[in-house]
Amino acid sequence: MSSVFGKNTKISIFGQSHSAAIGVTIDGLPAGFKIDMDELHAFLSRRAPGNSEYSTPRKEADMPEFLSGIVDNTTCGAPLTAIIRNTNTRPGDYRNLADIPRPGHADYTANIKYKGFQDPTGGGHFSGRLTAPLCVAGGILLQILKARGIFIGAHICKIGSVSDKLYDPCNVSVEDLYCTSEKKLPVIDKEAALAMSDLILAQKAVGNSIGGAIECAIIGLPAGIGSPIFDGVENRIAQCVFGIPAIKGIEFGCGFEVAEMTGSQNNDDFYVDDNGLVKTATNNHGGILGGISSGMPVIFRVAVKPTPSIGIEQNSVCIPTNENTKLTVKGRHDPCILPRAVPCVEAAAAIAVFDMLCESI
Amino acid sequence: MSSVFGKNTKISIFGQSHSAAIGVTIDGLPAGFKIDMDELHAFLSRRAPGNSEYSTPRKEADMPEFLSGIVDNTTCGAPLTAIIRNTNTRPGDYRNLADIPRPGHADYTANIKYKGFQDPTGGGHFSGRLTAPLCVAGGILLQILKARGIFIGAHICKIGSVSDKLYDPCNVSVEDLYCTSEKKLPVIDKEAALAMSDLILAQKAVGNSIGGAIECAIIGLPAGIGSPIFDGVENRIAQCVFGIPAIKGIEFGCGFEVAEMTGSQNNDDFYVDDNGLVKTATNNHGGILGGISSGMPVIFRVAVKPTPSIGIEQNSVCIPTNENTKLTVKGRHDPCILPRAVPCVEAAAAIAVFDMLCESI
Amino acid sequence: MSSVFGKNTKISIFGQSHSAAIGVTIDGLPAGFKIDMDELHAFLSRRAPGNSEYSTPRKEADMPEFLSGIVDNTTCGAPLTAIIRNTNTRPGDYRNLADIPRPGHADYTANIKYKGFQDPTGGGHFSGRLTAPLCVAGGILLQILKARGIFIGAHICKIGSVSDKLYDPCNVSVEDLYCTSEKKLPVIDKEAALAMSDLILAQKAVGNSIGGAIECAIIGLPAGIGSPIFDGVENRIAQCVFGIPAIKGIEFGCGFEVAEMTGSQNNDDFYVDDNGLVKTATNNHGGILGGISSGMPVIFRVAVKPTPSIGIEQNSVCIPTNENTKLTVKGRHDPCILPRAVPCVEAAAAIAVFDMLCESI
Amino acid sequence: MSSVFGKNTKISIFGQSHSAAIGVTIDGLPAGFKIDMDELHAFLSRRAPGNSEYSTPRKEADMPEFLSGIVDNTTCGAPLTAIIRNTNTRPGDYRNLADIPRPGHADYTANIKYKGFQDPTGGGHFSGRLTAPLCVAGGILLQILKARGIFIGAHICKIGSVSDKLYDPCNVSVEDLYCTSEKKLPVIDKEAALAMSDLILAQKAVGNSIGGAIECAIIGLPAGIGSPIFDGVENRIAQCVFGIPAIKGIEFGCGFEVAEMTGSQNNDDFYVDDNGLVKTATNNHGGILGGISSGMPVIFRVAVKPTPSIGIEQNSVCIPTNENTKLTVKGRHDPCILPRAVPCVEAAAAIAVFDMLCESI
């Protein structure tokens, strides 16, 4: 595997769903930053399972133990490692997964890649549980970014056919970014939230699941960040965000809508605002031109597939006998992963952005 | 900038639109591969300007000179460097770009990042012209991949509101991949091609441009390729493909459609085919599960924004005076970049895939 | 800091001398290798403190707990993380180190780099204790290499003015490599060992310490490994080995002796041996030509400085007052670090070699 | 191969001895630095062949053509590529090298690694000629470093049994660093230079060659540079310097002498100097403690083996027949590579140091 991301600030994620622990090392943190542990816990609880009717009832504190890298909660320059012990596991649920791969999961591809030696319990290293250490790293970096005036937020912008209000791409505010962070369903529009809730619970009732999309915005990022051709803002955010399981697409600014636009529609006019700052009148470019931040809000959306673990019988194969078979996935699963994926997207964005900020040229 | 991509096989791109030359170094090529120069030239000519009414009339041979890395057209293990001399340039067209940034271009962000020292002529290192060396590298790697039974092709799947037929995600063939490669408009469906042509020429007539989307497929990729969490197939293809200017989104398999799907709809059933091979009955996962190739065709689509250089007057700012102003971009531009972007997407995919194949674990 | 090493197999080391734990993550291990835990413990005990009169009496088990990456002691492809809890610490010994840097230590430079926020207790991340996780990673990789017929061993070749017998550079055997591994002083020649012991104990008696040199050999490495110019065998071993604190020099083959040699003396003649294999008659090149392994034993030596922590009063400065002062280092220290550094050198060599083996081109 | 070095500023070297050209790309240069071309040419001429009786008579201008990255000799932020055309080649001299490897050269190991497809003429990518692009990159970075108050110089400190005066490790001045740069033999002490000259010419007369050592100093480097454990100052300089062919050892500060020192001898006392700056009274640590620069001069020495190409008959093997044979190397060769290696060492040091400076944490 290659679970290390970053050039100057490197994030290394480890653990399997049911190994002794999962965790993360952040190498290259600036020394002297005091981590607000309450804020970190609040952030992590947004990702934690069991706190709403939309997620698996597997309930875990998921609060990290810090093994190194901090003294009195303040970074000391040494690599920071935090772990979360795995408890409350039910390995029996997954016993036959090594033999019969679950559709939509990594069971089959992991079996090929690791020649049958992969850890199948609970999805092993491919479990969504591995987003917990991603959020530990991201939660810390979000705090460091905030101290530098850079704010990141995300919300569910779509579940099924129901869409949320989008951020105002030119004027998204810190309040906008944070207004959904305490909601069970992090959605801006109340009506949309209700309709989404109905959709999710309807799928839950039949043992099925449903997908969606998440919108993320980064404000306060100075112009001039990103190193094209291959380490531009889109390249790096995309590389990091695809580390979140279930994400199948990413688009910046107008994204796939540009296919239907003309140049005069898509181009964002420059103007000098009342404070003498150069801005764009629209933000179809999503805050990135030529791979470099423009100073406008960075806006992107990701597509999140429905949880592949469903309670409905599916067709699969039995690897040892190489024959077709049926599979019914047991265990506890999220009917919709979107609410818990929102902080993961914020975390991944923070990780990518902070590493880019560390490039001095 | 950071114009180097790859871990085991590194691609390093250099040059500006109007510098002495542009070029690429490929470090880490296997020794002993004989490059078919005719095939390479044919591939490069698909990206070259001036060969249809859809592109800028700037006509250049764009055939590379090889400085190193080959003996008798056969790779020798040393880094391969190929350059393309810049000729037929018209620097006068771009003289005031350093002062008045073109909307939708990198002029403004480059000016911030490089403090006014960037090369503004023709977009400098941000010019679409830099995709020529990308295609030199990609064209060579496509040949090496083909010799290993891995085939990559792409076509325009959308321009404006007109859509092309998509590849059959489970059964795309080598013929399907290559059937559009000699067309002026690389589109599968003839009716769609005609409609797209009308759209492009209509925008050209008014000095405007139009965007679109490209679909790419990779077949023959063995199951088990890709190193999640951060170097999985989606992560690496995305990081590389966003190196092509104008791309604003990427989606794999069903992509953003997953937002409207349930788990039972999106999950692809496994089955054993007549040859005893494990396949999936559908390919919503786009050949990638958990970041690892499944053996099914890898399918992705990218959104391509309309060429930002248009002949219509636009609002911009004068950097030295910090005042609003008007700008009319002169010079020769593509009314639609899609036809020339298709081989670039194939090249970027080949670069990402080959580097992943070089990982032995 | 940048405590990550490797391209395909990445080693990430974390922890401070007196943090909750120290540890290592190995990302990119091949799946399916069963770790021999007894052998690993035996290897680690060679580095452990307290097992001879030459080392600090700080006695710790230093046996790792595996958090992830193995199932039934067998690698599963996921990142392997092992930690060692810190116990038996005496933080009081180091209390004033943040103010008065110890000569020869990283106290001063860490204070500058981390702006006073570094963890000063016990040397923090700069402690020799961090070689324990290095040895965990190296010990596992040594086993994997051995299974592939590649053997690595090292011995003290010099302490003060006393030299050990060197390996026969052309014919070093597996037995030669392992013959010192159970000795308190890993020295080949018994007379030399006695003389070295006297030297160490004499310095210990006066609260001083003494330096030395270590010779390492790698046998069974196939010809053709290493990727020059910058990832050749010397480049990579050197980069990794300088990660061991106290190492101030490295030389391959004849090393610094080449300064006094002519070409005809230094060049190693090629010949075909009785089995039809190409070998060199001498091995002045230390098994590396042009950065690539030749198939002959890889031989290198490193210089190890005397433990900087000594019981003798030294001159230093008081950082807060910026005045000269005196310092007497308290605590328990090795009068000679060489015995414990020998397995560290083997570990670093294994880490560098294994990563090079993972390059398929 | 892996001819790319660096994290934030990447150097990519390409070319073979007798390919169309050799060259280098520097990716990640700061924009706005005006290169002094006369100074660069003067630097490169120190490495160029044919300018003294100590080197091969192969005479080449070796002045680079800049393909990209500069506008009016000023860096523009885009990757800088410079090439040197190969002329005055005599491929006939090397015709049988693919079959009969030269002792001490990479002919044999390259043949194994590249399966016979390597370019054998003139050593291909392994030729000392590839240090020309290394010096182009290094020469530019030396200028940028100088503008920031960081100066690097080197001299021959040993040839055969003759030693030069060493730099004063605590007080080496800019004048000291530059005092040898215009000498045919870059040696500080005149008597030593004469004796060395005699040694070289004596070996030249008999078709043999001789080795030596080079000392390099870096002054003005601020304290706090370097990222241990694996990207510390020693790690990075060593990794880069071993990219120079013929280097077989490197030592920092007292280097291998530490083996005979006690802690009280080797430790460098700290003191506050008359300007209130913290310094060390001696500089046995070579300006590096814990992998981080201390603010004292960084001092290192490298061992350079005698040119392996000698005019004396040697034993080798014939690869196609797998039989022993004799070989007499024809062609023009340096009886002593040291004079030309001195600027290469400066260049490699500059490349490593500049990349470390670009790390903002």
Side-chain angles (χ1 to χ4, degrees):
Chain A
M1 304 197 70
S2 187
S3 300
V4 181
F5 179 86
K7 194 157 68 167
N8 289 290
T9 299
K10 298 191 195 78
I11 308 297
S12 173
I13 290 176
F14 54 86
Q16 300 111 249
S17 185
H18 293 193
S19 64
I22 57 177
V24 65
T25 297
I26 318 177
D27 190 299
L29 276 180
F33 183 82
K34 180 150 194 145
I35 300 170
D36 183 327
M37 289 297 172
D38 291 337
E39 187 174 330
L40 181 62
H41 288 187
F43 179 72
L44 294 175
S45 69
R46 291 170 55 201
R47 194 216 69 90
N51 58 11
S52 86
E53 62 270 38
Y54 312 120
S55 82
T56 162
R58 174 173 172 168
K59 196 162 183 85
E60 303 193 346
D62 276 356
M63 287 309 142
E65 177 195 5
F66 288 85
L67 298 183
S68 67
I70 54 174
V71 176
D72 296 335
N73 290 349
T74 302
T75 59
C76 66
L80 180 153
T81 296
I83 64 170
I84 299 168
R85 291 277 168 186
N86 283 324
T87 54
N88 186 21
T89 60
R90 290 161 61 186
D93 289 346
Y94 304 92
R95 221 167 335 190
N96 66 343
L97 294 182
D99 289 348
I100 307 175
R102 293 169 296 175
H105 271 285
D107 299 338
Y108 173 70
T109 54
N111 186 65
I112 297 288
K113 188 172 185 76
Y114 304 112
K115 301 180 179 66
F117 292 105
Q118 76 282 7
D119 180 358
T121 34
H125 193 59
F126 297 86
S127 165
R129 184 152 171 69
L130 270 292
T131 56
L134 182 90
C135 282
V136 172
I140 293 168
L141 293 173
L142 282 165
Q143 291 186 22
I144 299 180
L145 289 170
K146 195 168 68 171
R148 300 184 184 185
I150 300 168
F151 302 86
I152 299 179
H155 67 110
I156 298 173
C157 64
K158 194 175 186 186
I159 284 181
S161 54
V162 180
S163 295
D164 190 20
K165 226 183 110 188
L166 294 182
Y167 292 134
D168 176 344
C170 288
N171 295 301
V172 56
S173 68
V174 176
E175 291 68 37
D176 294 338
L177 297 181
Y178 292 170
C179 73
T180 58
S181 60
E182 296 187 7
K183 297 183 179 179
K184 278 189 188 178
L185 262 188
V187 172
I188 299 171
D189 185 74
K190 283 181 191 177
E191 297 299 315
L194 287 172
M196 289 178 185
S197 178
D198 289 347
L199 274 180
I200 297 171
L201 296 178
Q203 295 303 330
K204 185 183 181 183
V206 295
N208 210 341
S209 63
I210 190 160
I214 291 170
E215 183 185 47
C216 181
I218 306 163
I219 63 176
L221 188 68
I225 302 303
S227 291
I229 293 178
F230 294 114
D231 288 315
V233 179
E234 287 118 333
N235 312 71
R236 299 303 302 283
I237 289 180
Q239 191 198 352
C240 194
V241 162
F242 277 116
I244 303 171
I247 289 195
K248 296 301 281 185
I250 187 166
E251 57 179 11
F252 295 85
C254 280
F256 278 87
E257 275 185 35
V258 297
E260 303 204 13
M261 293 170 86
T262 65
S264 61
Q265 290 167 333
N266 184 58
N267 284 350
D268 299 303
D269 286 352
F270 290 106
Y271 73 97
V272 180
D273 80 355
D274 294 344
N275 300 312
L277 302 174
V278 173
K279 295 201 169 161
T280 58
T282 48
N283 188 10
N284 298 329
H285 69 292
I288 310 160
L289 286 168
I292 303 171
S293 62
S294 70
M296 295 296 290
V298 171
I299 310 269
F300 68 90
R301 283 168 303 283
V302 295
V304 184
K305 74 178 185 186
T307 322
S309 290
I310 54 176
I312 299 169
E313 188 185 70
Q314 300 175 86
N315 295 312
S316 187
V317 295
C318 177
I319 301 283
T321 62
N322 206 38
E323 287 177 350
N324 293 329
T325 186
K326 301 282 181 184
L327 173 73
T328 303
V329 181
K330 291 200 173 57
R332 304 149 298 170
H333 306 289
D334 294 295
C336 181
I337 198 66
L338 274 285
R340 298 175 58 200
V342 164
C344 301
V345 170
E346 296 173 3
I351 289 167
V353 162
F354 188 76
D355 192 39
M356 289 188 281
L357 277 174
C358 291
E359 297 187 21
S360 63
I361 292 173
Chain B
M1 304 197 69
S2 187
S3 300
V4 181
F5 178 87
K7 194 158 67 166
N8 289 290
T9 298
K10 299 191 194 79
I11 308 297
S12 173
I13 291 175
F14 55 86
Q16 300 110 251
S17 184
H18 293 192
S19 64
I22 57 177
V24 66
T25 296
I26 317 177
D27 191 297
L29 275 181
F33 184 82
K34 181 149 193 145
I35 300 170
D36 182 328
M37 289 297 174
D38 291 338
E39 188 175 329
L40 181 62
H41 289 186
F43 179 72
L44 295 175
S45 69
R46 292 170 55 200
R47 196 217 67 90
N51 57 12
S52 86
E53 61 269 38
Y54 312 119
S55 83
T56 163
R58 174 174 172 169
K59 198 164 183 78
E60 303 194 346
D62 274 357
M63 287 309 141
E65 177 194 5
F66 288 86
L67 298 183
S68 66
I70 54 174
V71 176
D72 295 335
N73 290 349
T74 302
T75 58
C76 67
L80 180 153
T81 297
I83 63 169
I84 299 168
R85 292 278 168 184
N86 283 324
T87 54
N88 186 20
T89 61
R90 292 162 60 187
D93 289 345
Y94 304 92
R95 219 166 339 190
N96 64 344
L97 295 183
D99 289 350
I100 306 175
R102 294 168 296 176
H105 271 284
D107 298 339
Y108 173 70
T109 54
N111 186 66
I112 297 287
K113 187 170 187 75
Y114 304 112
K115 302 181 178 65
F117 291 104
Q118 76 283 8
D119 179 358
T121 36
H125 192 59
F126 297 86
S127 167
R129 185 155 169 67
L130 270 292
T131 56
L134 181 89
C135 282
V136 172
I140 293 168
L141 293 174
L142 282 166
Q143 292 186 21
I144 299 179
L145 288 170
K146 195 168 67 171
R148 299 184 185 187
I150 300 168
F151 302 87
I152 299 178
H155 68 110
I156 298 173
C157 63
K158 194 173 187 188
I159 285 181
S161 54
V162 181
S163 294
D164 191 19
K165 227 183 110 187
L166 294 182
Y167 291 134
D168 175 345
C170 288
N171 294 300
V172 57
S173 68
V174 177
E175 291 67 37
D176 293 338
L177 296 180
Y178 291 171
C179 73
T180 58
S181 61
E182 294 186 9
K183 297 182 178 178
K184 277 189 188 179
L185 262 188
V187 171
I188 299 170
D189 184 75
K190 282 182 191 176
E191 297 300 313
L194 287 172
M196 289 179 185
S197 177
D198 289 348
L199 274 181
I200 298 170
L201 296 178
Q203 294 303 329
K204 184 182 182 184
V206 295
N208 210 339
S209 63
I210 190 159
I214 290 170
E215 183 185 46
C216 182
I218 306 164
I219 62 176
L221 188 67
I225 302 302
S227 291
I229 294 179
F230 295 115
D231 289 314
V233 178
E234 288 119 333
N235 312 71
R236 300 303 302 284
I237 288 180
Q239 190 197 354
C240 194
V241 161
F242 277 115
I244 304 171
I247 289 194
K248 297 300 282 185
I250 187 166
E251 58 177 11
F252 295 84
C254 279
F256 278 87
E257 275 186 35
V258 296
E260 304 205 13
M261 294 169 86
T262 64
S264 61
Q265 289 168 333
N266 183 58
N267 284 350
D268 299 302
D269 286 351
F270 290 105
Y271 74 99
V272 180
D273 80 355
D274 294 342
N275 300 312
L277 301 175
V278 174
K279 295 201 169 162
T280 57
T282 48
N283 188 10
N284 299 329
H285 69 292
I288 310 161
L289 286 169
I292 302 172
S293 61
S294 69
M296 294 297 290
V298 171
I299 310 268
F300 68 90
R301 283 168 302 284
V302 295
V304 184
K305 74 180 186 185
T307 323
S309 289
I310 54 176
I312 298 168
E313 189 184 71
Q314 298 174 88
N315 294 312
S316 186
V317 295
C318 178
I319 300 283
T321 63
N322 206 37
E323 286 176 351
N324 293 329
T325 185
K326 300 283 184 183
L327 173 73
T328 304
V329 180
K330 291 198 174 58
R332 304 150 296 171
H333 305 290
D334 293 295
C336 181
I337 198 67
L338 273 285
R340 295 176 59 200
V342 165
C344 300
V345 170
E346 296 173 3
I351 290 167
V353 163
F354 188 76
D355 193 37
M356 289 188 281
L357 278 175
C358 291
E359 296 187 21
S360 63
I361 293 172
Chain C
M1 306 198 69
S2 186
S3 299
V4 180
F5 179 86
K7 195 158 64 167
N8 289 290
T9 299
K10 298 192 194 78
I11 309 296
S12 174
I13 291 175
F14 54 86
Q16 300 110 250
S17 185
H18 293 193
S19 63
I22 57 177
V24 65
T25 297
I26 318 177
D27 190 298
L29 275 180
F33 184 82
K34 179 149 196 149
I35 300 171
D36 183 327
M37 289 296 172
D38 291 337
E39 188 174 329
L40 181 63
H41 289 185
F43 179 72
L44 294 175
S45 69
R46 293 169 55 200
R47 195 216 68 90
N51 57 11
S52 86
E53 61 270 38
Y54 312 120
S55 83
T56 163
R58 173 174 173 168
K59 198 162 182 85
E60 302 193 347
D62 275 357
M63 287 310 142
E65 176 195 4
F66 289 85
L67 298 183
S68 65
I70 54 175
V71 176
D72 295 335
N73 290 348
T74 302
T75 58
C76 66
L80 180 154
T81 296
I83 64 168
I84 299 168
R85 292 275 166 186
N86 283 323
T87 54
N88 187 19
T89 62
R90 292 162 58 187
D93 289 346
Y94 304 92
R95 217 165 340 187
N96 65 344
L97 295 182
D99 289 349
I100 307 175
R102 294 168 296 175
H105 271 285
D107 300 338
Y108 173 69
T109 54
N111 186 65
I112 297 287
K113 187 170 187 75
Y114 304 111
K115 302 182 178 66
F117 291 104
Q118 76 281 8
D119 179 358
T121 35
H125 192 59
F126 298 87
S127 165
R129 184 154 170 67
L130 270 291
T131 56
L134 183 88
C135 282
V136 172
I140 292 168
L141 293 174
L142 282 165
Q143 291 186 21
I144 298 179
L145 289 170
K146 196 168 67 172
R148 299 184 185 187
I150 300 168
F151 302 86
I152 299 179
H155 67 110
I156 297 173
C157 64
K158 195 175 186 185
I159 285 180
S161 55
V162 180
S163 294
D164 190 18
K165 225 183 110 187
L166 294 182
Y167 292 133
D168 176 345
C170 289
N171 295 300
V172 57
S173 67
V174 177
E175 292 68 37
D176 293 339
L177 296 181
Y178 291 171
C179 73
T180 58
S181 60
E182 295 187 7
K183 297 182 178 180
K184 276 189 189 178
L185 263 187
V187 173
I188 299 170
D189 184 75
K190 285 181 187 175
E191 296 300 314
L194 287 172
M196 289 178 185
S197 178
D198 288 348
L199 274 180
I200 297 170
L201 296 178
Q203 295 303 331
K204 184 182 182 184
V206 296
N208 211 340
S209 63
I210 190 159
I214 290 170
E215 183 185 46
C216 182
I218 305 163
I219 62 176
L221 188 67
I225 303 302
S227 291
I229 293 180
F230 294 114
D231 288 315
V233 178
E234 289 118 332
N235 312 70
R236 299 303 302 284
I237 289 180
Q239 190 198 353
C240 193
V241 162
F242 277 116
I244 304 170
I247 289 195
K248 297 301 281 187
I250 188 166
E251 58 179 11
F252 294 85
C254 280
F256 278 88
E257 275 185 35
V258 297
E260 303 205 15
M261 294 170 87
T262 64
S264 61
Q265 290 168 334
N266 184 58
N267 284 351
D268 300 304
D269 286 351
F270 290 106
Y271 73 99
V272 180
D273 80 356
D274 294 343
N275 300 313
L277 302 173
V278 174
K279 296 200 168 162
T280 59
T282 48
N283 188 9
N284 298 329
H285 70 291
I288 310 160
L289 287 169
I292 301 172
S293 61
S294 70
M296 295 295 292
V298 170
I299 311 269
F300 68 90
R301 284 169 301 284
V302 295
V304 184
K305 74 179 186 186
T307 322
S309 288
I310 55 176
I312 299 168
E313 188 184 71
Q314 299 175 88
N315 294 311
S316 187
V317 295
C318 179
I319 300 283
T321 63
N322 206 37
E323 284 177 351
N324 292 329
T325 185
K326 300 283 183 186
L327 173 73
T328 303
V329 180
K330 290 199 174 57
R332 304 149 297 170
H333 305 290
D334 294 295
C336 181
I337 197 67
L338 274 284
R340 296 174 59 200
V342 165
C344 300
V345 171
E346 297 173 2
I351 290 167
V353 162
F354 188 76
D355 192 38
M356 289 189 280
L357 278 175
C358 291
E359 297 187 20
S360 63
I361 293 174
Chain D
M1 305 197 69
S2 186
S3 299
V4 180
F5 179 86
K7 194 157 65 166
N8 289 291
T9 299
K10 298 192 195 78
I11 308 297
S12 173
I13 291 176
F14 53 86
Q16 299 111 252
S17 185
H18 293 193
S19 63
I22 57 178
V24 65
T25 297
I26 318 176
D27 190 299
L29 276 180
F33 185 82
K34 180 151 194 146
I35 301 170
D36 183 326
M37 288 296 172
D38 290 338
E39 188 175 329
L40 180 63
H41 289 186
F43 179 72
L44 294 176
S45 68
R46 291 170 57 202
R47 195 216 68 91
N51 58 11
S52 87
E53 61 270 39
Y54 312 119
S55 84
T56 164
R58 174 174 172 168
K59 199 163 182 82
E60 303 192 347
D62 275 356
M63 286 310 142
E65 176 195 4
F66 289 85
L67 298 184
S68 67
I70 55 174
V71 175
D72 296 335
N73 291 348
T74 302
T75 58
C76 67
L80 181 153
T81 297
I83 63 169
I84 300 169
R85 291 277 167 185
N86 282 326
T87 55
N88 186 21
T89 62
R90 292 163 57 188
D93 289 348
Y94 304 92
R95 218 165 339 187
N96 64 345
L97 294 182
D99 288 349
I100 307 176
R102 294 168 296 176
H105 271 285
D107 299 337
Y108 173 70
T109 53
N111 186 66
I112 297 287
K113 189 171 186 74
Y114 304 112
K115 303 181 178 64
F117 291 105
Q118 76 282 7
D119 179 359
T121 36
H125 192 59
F126 298 86
S127 166
R129 184 154 170 66
L130 270 293
T131 57
L134 182 88
C135 283
V136 172
I140 292 168
L141 293 175
L142 282 165
Q143 291 186 23
I144 298 179
L145 289 170
K146 196 168 69 171
R148 299 184 185 187
I150 300 168
F151 302 87
I152 298 178
H155 67 110
I156 297 173
C157 64
K158 193 173 187 187
I159 285 180
S161 55
V162 181
S163 294
D164 191 19
K165 227 182 110 185
L166 294 182
Y167 292 133
D168 176 344
C170 288
N171 295 300
V172 56
S173 68
V174 178
E175 291 68 37
D176 294 339
L177 296 181
Y178 292 170
C179 74
T180 58
S181 60
E182 295 187 6
K183 296 180 179 180
K184 276 190 190 177
L185 263 187
V187 172
I188 299 170
D189 184 74
K190 283 181 189 177
E191 296 301 315
L194 287 172
M196 288 179 185
S197 178
D198 289 347
L199 273 180
I200 297 170
L201 296 178
Q203 294 304 330
K204 184 183 184 182
V206 297
N208 210 339
S209 64
I210 190 159
I214 291 170
E215 183 185 47
C216 181
I218 305 163
I219 62 176
L221 188 67
I225 303 301
S227 291
I229 294 179
F230 295 114
D231 288 315
V233 178
E234 290 119 332
N235 311 71
R236 300 304 303 283
I237 289 180
Q239 190 198 353
C240 194
V241 161
F242 277 116
I244 304 172
I247 289 195
K248 296 301 281 186
I250 187 166
E251 57 178 11
F252 294 85
C254 280
F256 279 88
E257 275 185 34
V258 297
E260 304 205 13
M261 293 171 86
T262 64
S264 62
Q265 289 167 334
N266 183 59
N267 283 350
D268 300 302
D269 286 352
F270 290 106
Y271 74 99
V272 180
D273 81 356
D274 294 344
N275 300 313
L277 302 174
V278 174
K279 295 200 169 162
T280 59
T282 48
N283 188 10
N284 298 329
H285 70 292
I288 310 160
L289 286 169
I292 302 172
S293 61
S294 69
M296 295 296 290
V298 171
I299 311 269
F300 68 91
R301 283 169 302 286
V302 295
V304 184
K305 74 179 185 185
T307 322
S309 289
I310 54 177
I312 299 169
E313 190 185 69
Q314 298 175 88
N315 294 311
S316 186
V317 295
C318 178
I319 300 282
T321 63
N322 206 36
E323 286 177 350
N324 292 329
T325 186
K326 300 283 183 185
L327 173 74
T328 303
V329 180
K330 291 200 174 57
R332 304 148 299 171
H333 306 290
D334 294 294
C336 181
I337 197 66
L338 273 286
R340 296 175 58 199
V342 165
C344 299
V345 171
E346 297 173 2
I351 290 167
V353 163
F354 187 76
D355 192 38
M356 288 188 281
L357 278 175
C358 291
E359 296 186 21
S360 61
I361 293 173

